Amino acid sequence: MHGRPRKAPKPEDEAASSAKAQKLRALQTQFFTFHHNKIYTKEAVELSAKLLEINPESYTAWNYRKLAVEHYLNLPDCNPDSIKSVLDDELRVVENALRQNFKSYGAWHHRKWVLSKGHSSIDNELRLLDKFQKADSRNFHAWNYRRYVAESMKRSEQDELKYAEDMIYTNFSNYSAWHNRSVLLSALFEKKAGGFLLKEKVLPEEYEFIHQAIFTDPDDQSGWFYHLWLLDQTVTTDSPLLASSWPGHGSDVLLVGDRCYNGSAFSPFSALHSDSGSFPIVLYFNQPVGGVNSSTVTVECGFNKNEDLFWKPLSASNSQTARVWVAHLKVPSSDLHSTVEVSVGHSKGIISTRGFVYSHPSMFSFKVHVQPMERDSSQVSVAENISLREENFKVYGTQSEESIIDSFDQLIIKNGHETTASNWRFEALAKEIECFRELLSLVDCKIGKLTLARLLKAYDAMSYPFANKLVHSEEVLELYSDLMKLDPTHYQFYKDEHSIVLLQKYKDSASSAICDPICLRLNNLSLSRMGAFEKLLWVQMLDLSHNELQSIEGLEAMQLLSCLSLRNNKLRSLTTLEPLRKLKSLRILDISYNQIGDQSIDTTRYVCSSPLSHSVGSELNRDETVTSDVALINNWEAFFIFKDFNLNQLDIVGNTIADEKFKSVLVKIMPKLKQLDGKLLD
Amino acid sequence: MDDIPPYPPIDPTTFDLIVIGTGLPESIIAAAASTASKSVLHLDPNPFYGSHFSSLPLADLPSFLSSHSTSPSPPRSPSSDDPNEFSLLEFATRPLYSSIDISTFSPNLLDQHSRKFNLDVAGPRVLFCADKSIELLLRTGTNQYMEFKSVDATFVGDNKGNLWSVPDSRAAIFKDKSLGLVEKNKLMRFFKLVQGHLAGEQDVKISEEDLQSPFVDFLNKMGLPPKIKSFILYAIAMADYDQEDTGVCRDLLKTKDGIDQLALYNASIGRFQNASGAFLYPIYGQGELSQAFCRRAAVKGCLYVLRMPVTALLVDKDTGCYKGVRLASGQDIFSQKLILDPTFKVTLPLGSSPPLPLKEKLPFFSLKDDKGKIARGICITKTSLKPDISNFLVVYPPRSLFPEQVTSIRLLQIASNLAVCLPGMFVLYISALCNDDDQGKKLIHAVMNTLLTVPLDSESNAAVQSETAEIGSAVQDETSESSSGGPSDSGEEKPTLLWSALYSQELTLGQVDFICSTPMPDGKLNYNDLIDTTFKIFQEIYPEEEFFPETSLENPEVDGDASPET
């Protein structure tokens, strides 16, 4: 079935297929007549069977048969025998259709539907499946259906596992069989069935098993897919963990009043300006979770009631699960020195998208100092005060950044009990690293290199809290650089991965790029992607200029950002800016010299955020004033992005889209804007 | 012997070709000549088809072997009425088998069911699913007279009685438990290299220099570990002699030939959907093959007479040219061409010098036997050598059983589902090339001793015991250090021997002349070389005729029948 070259049709084949088409057309016309007139006579039903046996792809015919079955089952003289014979007929038609094309979705679906009626024996189904799976062992339709049948029959996972294993032994180049194995093992992990109680016992055996496939034929991809699943099982802890937070444990937060920025005077603290009388608490989990609310997360402080806190997920897809959650704590305008305690997960309710419960309650606390407004300072022009000019980095570069980083690590170690309890994960990864180093010494293999890079990264990430150093980052960077050369087709992917490792390494080495606890300079690193946000929650001013960023996904986690430069990157569309909509503190944005507007059709929209999220569209209808403005309608993407911004200052020059007309639209969308492309606005 | 019917007269008395003996080469030639519209008379002195390629009932095998072990004078020709026209050259039979050693440990059980056995005289033998014999069967439609089953696996044996499965395919390498990951990778890459080379991929072409070098050197160059080298050389390429000892190796495999062998093996695996392994075995035994070609010939008009000995050659007095043969019945039958099976040799009358033309031709009559001998053994057991698997091949590479073992020993276990023995029993065929009978016995006994329990209640047993003990002790000495930890062969019960036949067979090549002789079964596992020789003989006698032309295919749908029944 696979790996056989397609042959050009011979003239006689073409003649046969046109004859078939003619026959089919006649049948179809007649069929539609029956269907539209709701005729379910024996003759009509038989005609649809004939049609389906020639063309199993005819969805309408399957639906017609479903209607016909319903019709018969609702007849007054219907008895168990007649039901059975009607349904048996359906099974026979499906089987014949599958013989014609065993990859017909409609046919398999119809079979499921018939069986779900509960009148047919399921025992025959396995026999049928054996036949189809023998004919094409990789046919995923059959494997899908098999899972359905096995579940209906209550066939044990162990039996099915044995079947999948036999299929793998026949030919291990079988994605479907490996996939089924991962599904069955997942089910067994969840059940904690006898012998499968512990991942730590099963996974090493699975690694051993998949090595046989990978070493035998490293060019075969199916094994690598399974290995990737195993790696995921090894690295991902079942229950979600809190990876980091802002404010960090034991930190001091200094809040200064509206538009007053007087950081240097309070240099021991992370000063935060707040014009809304509140500051965010950010929780960063190691995997997307849902159920974060005031009952699962308790914030104890003297000036705010826990119940008033509203936790919001920060994700691009507007779903109710996210890795990052934020709540805004209101502060009184008077002098205040108070301790805030945040407890996460002491009462159950936080659940990962995989369905695992957050089971490691953790607590962190920090101090809040509120400084009332100083009116004098507020007179100074914003544009002069806050910008990403070199001197700002120097001005705020008074405090050593070590203390901040330490506080995050403390938090991680507090949460690390699962890591310490599961040495097997380390051992498994170490073994895998050794194994794939050996493979790469034998053969030059792209996917082997990628896997080794992934393993090393995972190992470093897992050991980070203990080693406090990314031991393998050089090796990983080298592997990705190598892959960029070897496999130009996937250059961008490797580049992105390379960027993230590079970022981690930079922060890890605490290089001079970090000038201040609130400012981070990451320019000229040829980054194509941002990452490691969990360690960057504290950043208020971020310089990402002169990189190769095409996307800023994940940036929404950096809730404190007030000043961001994306100058000279490769952002290609307005929708790539969507993460910025969630940054309520952002006042100054530089997106000059990008490629926004180069792409006539904004495909990123469908890549970055879920095409199913309609919330954007629904806002349009509510805002009648906007829909009447032609200029805004024509620039509706700009409208949706920029209308949520609270920008004072924007630089957009050097993008295709940024003509004078567009700029005038921007001014209209953002009435608060004070400065555009360096020019003060009225 | 009195109930042998009187020899029937044969009519007509003149043919294009007379073939004597119904071994596989003779049968193929008879079928090919009949297909080419020649009139053919096919005779066999035996009451069964197959001659030295036959499968015989248990009781008949010893008598067949011993009848060919001495040179009994063939029946004298009854006095001829008309001796003037021709010279008579008497036939003599050549001793083809020696050191025949039959041991019965379960006489009651076996005697009653002798006919339930179909024991191959020329075992162990299999057909590769993609080899020349299968091609010939399919091309001629002869497959319709036969049914096959798959031989399930190949193992390599060691001196501790272990059988290691041969990782002969991608799936087998994946599944193998004995190879390390690096070994698996190296072996699969080697297979891919060979496949790429065979597919003509430019970047993986094996150089001409490498192709002409010894295969073993090429395997070394590819960095293959000894274990894998041994698998490839002896269990896949089926090399006969120790390839790493040029002193004893009579048949050093070139890379080119080694690659061809791998290609054959590779093409054989998975060729037929219901055959899991690379090999096929005919139901009712290998003798079926000769018989099927005889049926093919008969369909094309070939005349068959069994139980018809031939006594003498009729030669033209003046020219010395072959004219015909005299049958045991006294009847003279004439033909232009004659094919003889290797049993016969022509004796010249004492004192008389042969006619001049014949004298020149005479050197061709003496069959060369410079290829040494082959030791064969047939054992019957009640338990399989390996549980859960009944039909399989085992190869003992050179030096795997004892240091002086210079040739591969091959063993084929065939179960009753192939209708070769009583239900629940197994027939083991063992063979090894050797220089003389003693060496051959030692090789066969070494395998038997490693795998089987030989009971002590037979008169011929003593010899076996003493010999195996000798080899066994040598083996023990060699392995005592390594095997101290594990009870490798004593832990599992070895199958008990019920019956065995050991014999040495002469290796004679086919001869080509105005009278041609066919070869004896060779030391190979399949029939490829024999079919090549047969084809050459046919070409020699009928240079103008095509060897089974494509048009001779009667039933174009036979391909479907080719797949073995399982």
Side-chain angles (χ1 to χ4, degrees):
Chain A
M1 300 305 147
H2 300 275
R4 292 183 199 168
R6 197 182 281 266
K7 279 185 215 140
K10 288 181 206 148
E12 60 260 36
D13 295 342
E14 276 175 36
S17 94
S18 74
K20 187 181 156 190
Q22 203 162 3
K23 194 178 161 198
L24 208 57
R25 265 195 292 274
L27 273 173
Q28 219 150 342
T29 317
Q30 210 178 345
F31 161 73
F32 278 119
T33 317
F34 288 138
H35 183 33
H36 293 146
N37 297 312
K38 299 195 168 55
I39 297 170
Y40 303 119
T41 60
K42 208 172 168 219
E43 183 209 359
V45 172
E46 261 167 29
L47 183 99
S48 72
K50 216 181 277 173
L51 176 66
L52 284 167
E53 278 164 26
I54 301 172
N55 177 21
E57 304 302 317
S58 176
Y59 279 65
T60 319
W62 289 118
N63 284 334
Y64 167 80
R65 287 195 75 90
K66 289 190 184 77
L67 292 171
V69 168
E70 300 284 7
H71 169 79
Y72 279 114
L73 297 191
N74 290 329
L75 287 180
D77 60 341
C78 174
N79 60 56
D81 282 346
S82 69
I83 292 175
K84 201 177 174 309
S85 106
V86 165
L87 293 176
D88 281 353
D89 264 1
E90 292 308 302
L91 292 178
R92 192 181 42 76
V93 171
V94 171
E95 200 175 327
N96 288 339
L98 286 174
R99 263 187 243 284
Q100 176 69 24
N101 176 13
F102 55 68
K103 292 190 174 176
S104 163
Y105 283 89
W108 287 107
H109 188 76
H110 193 70
R111 198 168 187 90
K112 242 186 204 179
W113 181 83
V114 173
L115 280 176
S116 72
K117 294 276 155 198
H119 296 285
S120 316
S121 146
I122 198 138
D123 299 336
N124 285 325
E125 299 308 292
L126 272 191
R127 243 168 291 148
L128 183 81
L129 274 170
D130 281 346
K131 224 163 54 189
F132 280 115
Q133 285 181 296
K134 213 170 193 178
D136 179 4
S137 59
R138 310 210 285 195
N139 180 1
F140 72 86
H141 300 267
W143 282 93
N144 273 342
Y145 186 66
R146 188 179 183 92
R147 277 195 287 279
Y148 167 79
V149 170
E151 200 181 317
S152 314
M153 289 176 73
K154 307 243 173 335
R155 211 169 120 89
S156 79
E157 276 90 354
Q158 277 89 345
D159 286 351
E160 282 298 286
L161 210 54
K162 176 80 181 49
Y163 177 83
E165 192 163 310
D166 288 346
M167 294 298 265
I168 288 167
Y169 274 131
T170 313
N171 179 7
F172 64 83
S173 183
N174 187 335
Y175 293 89
S176 302
W178 287 113
H179 173 67
N180 208 36
R181 190 174 178 87
S182 70
V183 170
L184 293 165
L185 283 176
S186 298
L188 285 166
F189 288 150
E190 214 166 301
K191 269 193 186 171
K192 302 200 187 292
F196 287 94
L197 194 67
L198 293 168
K199 266 189 178 181
E200 61 182 282
K201 273 185 99 174
V202 178
L203 289 182
E205 285 169 17
E206 291 303 300
Y207 275 122
E208 189 58 37
F209 189 41
I210 197 64
H211 289 161
Q212 312 302 316
I214 287 174
F215 273 75
T216 301
D217 192 354
D219 296 337
D220 185 81
Q221 289 189 27
S222 55
W224 292 103
F225 270 77
Y226 188 68
H227 189 269
L228 198 58
W229 178 77
L230 289 179
L231 180 58
D232 184 55
Q233 291 294 305
T234 311
V235 171
T236 317
T237 50
D238 286 343
S239 62
L241 292 172
L242 186 64
S244 72
S245 69
W246 193 90
H249 181 63
S251 63
D252 287 90
V253 178
L254 175 72
L255 292 161
V256 289
D258 191 16
R259 285 164 202 178
C260 169
Y261 212 84
N262 202 358
S264 56
F266 305 95
S267 60
F269 311 110
S270 13
L272 180 73
H273 77 119
S274 159
D275 47 1
S276 57
S278 69
F279 70 94
I281 299 176
V282 181
L283 300 178
Y284 201 108
F285 294 91
N286 69 342
Q287 50 187 294
V289 294
V292 176
N293 52 44
S294 57
S295 67
T296 51
V297 177
T298 326
V299 179
E300 301 253 10
C301 65
F303 51 88
N304 233 301
K305 269 201 216 151
N306 180 51
E307 296 78 57
D308 296 342
L309 281 179
F310 178 62
W311 288 96
K312 265 196 312 190
L314 291 176
S315 76
S317 59
N318 290 313
S319 72
Q320 282 307 301
T321 58
R323 286 176 73 147
V324 197
W325 288 77
V326 65
H328 288 270
L329 202 57
K330 284 207 171 54
V331 288
S333 50
S334 56
D335 257 319
L336 177 83
H337 298 276
S338 175
T339 302
V340 180
E341 279 194 4
V342 183
S343 316
V344 181
H346 287 277
S347 65
K348 294 226 185 309
I350 301 176
I351 293 174
S352 75
T353 43
R354 299 179 182 206
F356 289 105
V357 177
Y358 183 90
S359 56
H360 301 290
S362 51
M363 196 271 285
F364 63 93
S365 64
F366 54 91
K367 286 200 181 97
V368 181
H369 311 275
V370 180
Q371 185 82 23
M373 284 182 238
E374 288 175 29
R375 283 289 160 201
D376 303 346
S377 313
S378 68
Q379 302 303 317
V380 186
S381 153
V382 173
E384 277 170 306
N385 248 353
I386 311 167
S387 70
L388 277 169
R389 276 191 242 119
E390 200 58 40
E391 55 265 33
N392 284 330
F393 281 92
K394 280 177 188 150
V395 168
Y396 303 121
T398 46
Q399 190 202 349
S400 108
E401 62 280 356
E402 298 294 340
S403 63
I404 301 288
I405 287 172
D406 281 351
S407 73
F408 284 113
D409 291 342
Q410 266 177 317
L411 180 83
I412 292 164
I413 291 168
K414 262 186 71 191
N415 284 326
H417 28 64
E418 194 182 359
T419 323
T420 43
S422 39
N423 277 330
W424 69 269
R425 295 178 195 270
F426 269 113
E427 280 168 25
L429 284 181
K431 249 191 194 162
E432 288 308 286
I433 288 168
E434 194 187 331
C435 189
F436 285 103
R437 281 199 173 128
E438 185 166 36
L439 180 72
L440 290 173
S441 75
L442 294 169
V443 285
D444 199 32
C445 158
K446 286 179 283 186
I447 194 152
K449 285 190 173 168
L450 177 60
T451 302
L452 181 59
R454 279 175 173 152
L455 286 165
L456 292 169
K457 256 173 70 183
Y459 186 85
D460 278 358
M462 209 179 265
S463 60
Y464 185 79
F466 310 107
N468 215 346
K469 212 170 120 195
L470 300 174
V471 199
H472 299 109
S473 54
E474 281 305 327
E475 190 178 349
V476 176
L477 288 173
E478 209 173 295
L479 284 166
Y480 281 124
S481 304
D482 230 21
L483 283 166
M484 283 186 247
K485 276 180 235 138
L486 282 174
D487 184 13
T489 328
H490 301 108
Y491 177 87
Q492 198 55 46
F493 172 75
Y494 301 130
K495 176 87 186 163
D496 287 357
E497 295 296 307
H498 188 270
S499 298
I500 290 168
V501 179
L502 201 65
L503 269 176
Q504 266 156 350
K505 199 187 123 200
Y506 261 88
K507 270 176 300 181
D508 182 52
S509 59
S511 72
S512 59
I514 302 171
C515 297
D516 186 86
I518 63 167
C519 299
L520 179 62
R521 171 151 288 176
L522 295 167
N523 53 356
N524 268 316
L525 295 172
S526 81
L527 301 175
S528 64
R529 212 188 145 152
M530 271 295 285
F533 296 105
E534 72 274 16
K535 293 174 190 159
L536 297 175
L537 301 179
W538 45 272
V539 177
Q540 295 179 30
M541 299 175 76
L542 178 60
D543 181 3
L544 287 167
S545 62
H546 297 277
N547 281 301
E548 295 163 30
L549 294 173
Q550 294 191 6
S551 154
I552 49 171
E553 256 188 287
L555 207 71
E556 66 272 8
M558 299 170 76
Q559 283 291 309
L560 304 191
L561 265 192
S562 63
C563 185
L564 171 66
S565 174
L566 290 163
R567 191 186 178 89
N568 263 307
N569 274 286
K570 291 183 174 172
L571 301 178
R572 284 195 209 159
S573 67
L574 288 172
T575 38
T576 53
L577 301 177
E578 190 136 334
L580 303 181
R581 289 174 62 208
K582 307 240 162 64
L583 300 178
K584 299 301 174 199
S585 310
L586 192 64
R587 296 293 174 271
I588 298 171
L589 175 65
D590 187 347
I591 48 172
S592 58
Y593 302 101
N594 274 279
Q595 299 162 2
I596 299 170
D598 278 8
Q599 274 176 330
S600 53
I601 297 168
D602 196 345
T603 50
T604 329
R605 167 171 293 273
Y606 306 106
V607 177
C608 281
S609 63
S610 160
L612 296 174
S613 65
H614 293 298
S615 63
V616 176
S618 57
E619 283 169 47
L620 182 68
N621 302 330
R622 264 184 257 132
D623 207 334
E624 292 295 329
T625 53
V626 174
T627 46
S628 58
D629 190 322
V630 178
L632 289 186
I633 288 174
N634 290 342
N635 290 287
W636 60 275
E637 284 183 322
F639 172 74
F640 286 124
I641 297 295
F642 287 102
K643 80 175 173 60
D644 289 344
F645 284 8
N646 293 315
L647 292 183
N648 292 331
Q649 193 176 312
L650 173 69
D651 288 276
I652 197 167
V653 70
N655 287 289
T656 315
I657 199 171
D659 56 10
E660 286 308 315
K661 207 172 143 199
F662 185 74
K663 283 187 189 174
S664 71
V665 172
L666 287 180
V667 173
K668 213 180 274 178
I669 298 170
M670 294 179 287
K672 285 187 196 161
L673 200 63
K674 298 262 171 6
Q675 190 178 320
L676 182 61
D677 284 333
K679 280 185 204 136
L680 284 173
L681 301 168
D682 308 329
Chain B
M1 299 300 267
D2 295 333
D3 56 345
I4 289 177
Y7 299 118
I10 292 171
D11 180 54
T13 54
T14 305
F15 292 86
D16 292 332
L17 172 69
I18 294 172
V19 181
I20 297 166
T22 54
L24 184 62
E26 302 95 272
S27 305
I28 292 173
I29 290 171
S34 306
T35 304
S37 305
K38 307 291 176 194
S39 59
V40 184
L41 174 64
H42 202 169
L43 303 171
D44 195 315
N46 295 304
F48 52 82
Y49 289 93
S51 300
H52 306 287
F53 293 81
S54 60
S55 301
L56 298 174
L58 190 101
D60 296 0
L61 184 89
S63 53
F64 175 78
L65 292 175
S66 53
S67 73
H68 289 277
S69 64
T70 51
S71 305
S73 19
R76 292 283 108 198
S77 324
S79 56
S80 170
D81 297 337
D82 185 11
N84 301 324
E85 209 178 322
F86 307 108
S87 304
L88 274 182
L89 293 177
E90 300 278 329
F91 280 127
T93 50
R94 302 160 42 81
L96 291 167
Y97 302 108
S98 51
S99 296
I100 301 164
D101 186 355
I102 312 289
S103 307
T104 306
F105 304 97
S106 181
N108 298 335
L109 186 67
L110 298 173
D111 284 354
Q112 296 159 13
H113 304 284
S114 164
R115 297 261 146 212
K116 293 266 168 68
F117 288 88
N118 288 298
L119 302 179
D120 297 344
V121 178
R125 227 165 249 283
V126 293
L127 288 77
F128 286 61
C129 292
D131 72 7
K132 288 174 182 167
S133 56
I134 295 285
E135 295 313 323
L136 195 61
L137 285 167
L138 294 179
R139 197 147 58 87
T140 59
T142 310
N143 57 301
Q144 62 188 301
Y145 308 122
M146 302 181 73
E147 278 185 304
F148 294 93
K149 268 188 204 282
S150 171
V151 175
D152 301 314
T154 309
F155 299 98
V156 163
D158 65 16
N159 56 15
K160 289 167 211 143
N162 298 313
L163 301 180
W164 305 96
S165 63
V166 173
D168 52 7
S169 67
R170 193 167 172 272
I173 294 173
F174 168 66
K175 203 173 179 174
D176 192 277
K177 295 263 193 291
S178 67
L179 292 178
L181 291 175
V182 174
E183 289 173 316
K184 288 188 174 195
N185 185 264
K186 285 186 169 174
L187 180 56
M188 190 61 212
R189 263 191 297 150
F190 177 72
F191 282 168
K192 279 190 170 180
L193 172 77
V194 172
Q195 277 161 16
H197 169 78
L198 292 167
E201 288 170 28
Q202 217 49 52
D203 49 335
V204 287
K205 207 87 192 133
I206 299 167
S207 74
E208 193 54 36
E209 189 189 339
D210 279 336
L211 288 175
Q212 294 307 323
S213 68
F215 194 35
V216 63
D217 291 354
F218 182 67
L219 297 180
N220 283 329
K221 192 174 154 187
M222 292 291 113
L224 295 176
K227 188 158 86 185
I228 291 180
K229 260 190 330 198
S230 171
F231 280 147
I232 294 175
L233 285 170
Y234 306 110
I236 297 178
M238 303 292 172
D240 292 318
Y241 287 94
D242 191 343
Q243 300 291 307
E244 285 175 283
D245 184 347
T246 42
V248 297
C249 182
R250 291 203 206 162
D251 191 5
L252 191 64
L253 204 58
K254 270 190 199 167
T255 303
K256 189 182 169 303
D257 301 326
I259 302 276
D260 286 347
Q261 282 294 317
L262 292 192
L264 170 63
Y265 198 97
N266 189 47
S268 294
I269 290 177
R271 175 168 187 197
F272 301 117
Q273 232 186 3
N274 43 0
S276 53
F279 313 128
L280 297 180
Y281 187 90
I283 296 177
Y284 300 112
Q286 292 288 348
E288 288 295 294
L289 213 50
S290 305
Q291 202 166 330
F293 276 101
C294 290
R295 288 184 69 176
R296 179 70 172 69
V299 166
K300 288 288 174 183
C302 177
L303 185 63
Y304 276 86
V305 183
L306 295 187
R307 301 172 208 262
M308 181 58 83
V310 189
T311 54
L313 209 58
L314 304 175
V315 188
D316 190 290
K317 259 185 183 152
D318 303 327
T319 63
C321 286
Y322 162 78
K323 282 292 167 197
V325 290
R326 176 155 298 172
L327 306 179
S329 61
Q331 192 178 8
D332 289 341
I333 306 283
F334 304 96
S335 70
Q336 288 168 349
K337 305 281 182 185
L338 175 70
I339 300 281
L340 285 175
D341 91 9
T343 318
F344 296 99
K345 65 182 179 189
V346 177
T347 49
L348 295 171
L350 275 169
S352 73
S353 79
L356 203 67
L358 187 59
K359 202 174 182 181
E360 281 167 19
K361 305 277 189 186
L362 268 179
F364 293 99
F365 275 86
S366 63
L367 297 163
K368 279 188 278 174
D369 43 17
D370 58 352
K371 274 206 121 183
K373 294 188 171 201
I374 181 162
R376 298 195 193 272
I378 304 173
C379 300
I380 294 169
T381 66
K382 254 185 167 169
T383 20
S384 171
L385 292 176
K386 211 162 166 68
D388 307 327
I389 176 164
S390 43
N391 303 312
F392 58 84
L393 180 76
V394 183
V395 177
Y396 287 92
R399 283 179 283 123
S400 63
L401 287 176
F402 55 96
E404 298 81 28
Q405 178 199 349
V406 298
T407 55
S408 296
I409 309 172
R410 290 189 273 263
L411 178 149
L412 179 67
Q413 175 178 296
I414 297 295
S416 55
N417 64 348
L418 279 157
V420 297
C421 57
L422 278 175
M425 289 195 180
F426 299 88
V427 182
L428 314 180
Y429 296 104
I430 312 168
S431 78
L433 293 174
C434 56
N435 291 323
D436 54 58
D437 291 4
D438 286 348
Q439 194 191 28
K441 279 268 150 63
K442 193 176 165 185
L443 291 165
I444 304 297
H445 278 153
V447 172
M448 289 170 66
N449 186 57
T450 308
L451 295 174
L452 302 172
T453 305
V454 182
L456 290 161
D457 56 356
S458 163
E459 70 273 28
S460 61
N461 202 17
V464 177
Q465 285 296 297
S466 66
E467 235 174 309
T468 51
E470 189 186 310
I471 294 155
S473 66
V475 168
Q476 278 325 113
D477 288 346
E478 203 199 351
T479 59
S480 52
E481 294 152 33
S482 53
S483 67
S484 54
S488 46
D489 56 348
S490 54
E492 279 173 47
E493 198 67 32
K494 290 197 264 185
T496 303
L497 185 63
L498 300 179
W499 183 91
S500 69
L502 273 59
Y503 51 98
S504 291
Q505 179 216 300
E506 303 289 330
L507 287 170
T508 61
L509 297 171
Q511 287 299 305
V512 172
D513 189 40
F514 79 114
I515 294 165
C516 299
S517 284
T518 52
M520 278 297 278
D522 58 15
K524 301 289 181 193
L525 194 59
N526 69 353
Y527 296 102
N528 262 13
D529 291 357
L530 284 164
I531 287 173
D532 281 345
T533 310
T534 306
F535 173 63
K536 277 184 201 143
I537 294 172
F538 180 81
Q539 269 192 323
E540 194 64 35
I541 59 170
Y542 292 120
E544 307 295 317
E545 297 294 342
E546 209 180 322
F547 186 66
F548 294 112
E550 292 292 340
T551 50
S552 73
L553 201 66
E554 288 153 273
N555 175 10
E557 298 298 320
V558 289
D559 261 54
D561 303 339
S563 48
E565 302 291 322
T566 51

